[in-house]
Amino acid sequence: DPRYAEQPRARELHGRAAWPERHPGQHHHLLIIEETATPAPVRLKAEAGNRCVTLSWPAVAGAAGYHVYRATGDGPFTHIASLVTHPRFLDSDVAGGVTNRYVVSADGPHGESADSPEATAVSPILHLPVVPVASTNAQLNSPRAKGF
């Protein structure tokens, strides 16, 4: 059938379909569908506090939630939280004086993203202040202590 002899053919061009040159009088429509991965979070910040670390990062467009991973020292990362709905997380399960490394990933329409760049924090070791104890001699010399 001659009507189908001039049908344009799609060709591959860097992962996209592209039509050959247009033929006069013919109109062609091209629908390009590109599936992209969910973008990874960027600029992860880790701020150490008293036996805790606060993480924050800019929101990822289209993310339904985030996953948080922690590694201690040079150890492997462990998944510590999922379905975090805001780009902020408080890790309150940290020991003082230990290096904690963190990465975050976004959960979006195309699945879980790659990990964010790593952020590191060391929660301080708190030293309790020395509180002087009142002398017992002062209590023994008080008027009430004379009856003993």
Side-chain angles (χ1 to χ4, degrees), residues 28-147:
H28 305 287
H29 296 278
L30 175 63
L31 175 62
I32 299 173
I33 300 174
E34 290 187 60
E35 196 167 304
T36 58
T38 301
V42 294
R43 296 190 310 274
L44 175 62
K45 291 181 185 177
E47 295 180 38
N50 180 14
R51 302 190 81 122
C52 67
V53 175
T54 301
L55 303 174
S56 61
W57 59 94
V60 172
Y66 302 93
H67 299 274
V68 180
Y69 299 87
R70 177 185 61 217
T72 337
D74 293 330
F77 282 97
T78 303
H79 188 251
I80 60 169
S82 58
L83 299 177
V84 175
T85 56
H86 297 287
R88 188 171 179 85
F89 180 76
L90 176 66
D91 184 5
S92 58
D93 187 25
V94 297
V98 176
T99 300
N100 293 288
R101 299 179 298 124
Y102 296 90
V103 293
V104 176
S105 64
D107 201 10
H110 301 292
E112 188 175 352
S113 73
D115 292 342
S116 68
E118 194 174 301
T120 303
V122 178
S123 185
I125 298 175
L126 296 180
H127 297 284
L128 296 175
V130 176
V131 179
V133 178
S135 170
T136 55
N137 289 337
Q139 292 175 357
L140 292 175
N141 293 331
S142 72
R144 293 182 190 206
K146 290 190 180 201

